[in-house]
Amino acid sequence: MRTGPQQWFFDTWSAFYDLAPVQWATYWPVHDAIVAALRGRDATRILDVGCGTGQLSARLARERPQARITGCDFSAGMLRHAAARTDAVGWVRGDACGLPFRDRSFDAVVSTEAFHWFPDQQRAADELFRVVAPGGVALVALVNTPARFVADGIHAASRLAGEPFRWPTSADMRALFENAGFAVSAQTRIFRLPGGLLLPPVLTCAVRPAGSRHQPATDHPPPLGGYRH
Ligand SMILES: C[S@@+](CC[C@H](N)C(=O)[O-])C[C@H]1O[C@@H](n2cnc3c(N)ncnc32)[C@H](O)[C@@H]1O
């Protein structure tokens, strides 16, 4: 059985993704949180995983002209819109569970409203760890459910709907990133109306300790309903 969403689903979605009300209500608050969290950090190589139509990557390129920004997504449709937006970003097609980048090649990796779609969340966290340099940071923002049973219920419903995703709890996010080798330094709730009152996005800030080495994990729990968390 297929464990993750299909690329065509996102290719289709990309056509109306940039509508201002959609962006205002859903994506800009989390983008603001990432931009604020990066402020003061000396990150010159930044990767945006699941970059979609490239709104955040392009904003980072505008605000940090000295930095090299890379946006990565597995949907060709999303990347077409991204490429039309700006050539100040390097757009790369790739899967979050097997990133097409060398070890330790970024100072910061960011991801907004995408991690819940990755079908193997532990592998995705491992990949973020692998590509970020020691001392670098992963900033990952998405809805965190208040309890595991809520996460399980929404996951089951999304499977029935044919496009499975899993919103983790904050404890799940901490465990995923600590298993990968990160030190989680903060988990901050992001204010967003109206749905964010019930299901708030949370920014997890995870630092790859200086001097740490990448160790491919072998002892993760087996997939649960196609999702590892
Ligand atoms: C809801 S959009 C968020 C886009 C963007 N980060 C933003 O905040 O506007 C989720 C994105 O994740 C991408 N995505 C989903 N699964 C993926 C995977 N396994 N690897 C790479 N990208 C993926 C989708 O194509 C889509 O562009």
Side-chain angles (χ1 to χ4, degrees):
M1 176 191 268
R2 185 167 55 82
T3 56
Q6 301 182 81
Q7 291 167 25
W8 69 258
F9 171 71
F10 292 101
D11 292 346
T12 309
W13 189 359
S14 69
F16 55 91
Y17 193 83
D18 284 330
L19 294 175
V22 178
Q23 286 295 323
W24 178 85
T26 311
Y27 299 105
W28 289 342
V30 290
H31 296 176
D32 289 346
I34 296 280
V35 167
L38 278 175
R39 213 161 274 143
R41 278 191 176 272
D42 186 21
T44 52
R45 302 168 299 168
I46 302 176
L47 171 66
D48 181 5
V49 179
C51 64
T53 60
Q55 296 250 0
L56 174 61
S57 307
R59 179 170 167 189
L60 292 174
R62 277 195 308 276
E63 295 190 8
R64 306 172 82 99
Q66 312 306 330
R68 179 168 58 79
I69 314 292
T70 305
C72 176
D73 202 287
F74 79 167
S75 157
M78 289 286 187
L79 286 177
R80 253 194 310 279
H81 288 267
R85 182 183 304 286
T86 180
D87 56 10
V89 172
W91 304 111
V92 176
R93 188 152 182 227
D95 193 312
C97 297
L99 289 169
F101 304 107
R102 290 179 202 278
D103 296 0
R104 302 181 296 275
S105 45
F106 297 96
D107 306 308
V109 290
V110 305
S111 183
T112 52
E113 298 296 349
F115 195 82
H116 52 299
W117 292 110
F118 304 157
D120 187 334
Q121 296 184 339
Q122 186 61 66
R123 187 175 291 278
D126 292 347
E127 280 293 273
L128 298 185
F129 184 84
R130 181 180 67 75
V131 302
V132 79
V137 69
L139 300 169
V140 182
L142 75 159
V143 168
N144 286 191
T145 51
R148 180 66 69 76
F149 77 90
V150 181
D152 289 345
I154 295 172
H155 175 52
S158 71
R159 278 170 65 103
L160 281 178
E163 294 301 340
F165 67 87
R166 183 177 192 90
W167 277 325
T169 64
S170 294
D172 289 337
M173 285 297 280
R174 177 177 287 277
L176 285 164
F177 281 78
E178 288 180 350
N179 279 345
F182 286 103
V184 173
S185 59
Q187 291 189 291
T188 313
R189 188 174 166 145
I190 300 167
F191 182 74
R192 181 166 75 184
L193 287 173
L197 296 178
L198 274 180
L199 290 170
V202 172
L203 171 61
T204 292
C205 176
V207 177
R208 176 170 174 166
S212 60
R213 299 186 52 188
H214 171 61
Q215 291 188 327
T218 51
D219 57 346
H220 297 140
L224 175 69
Y227 279 69
R228 301 208 322 176
H229 62 99

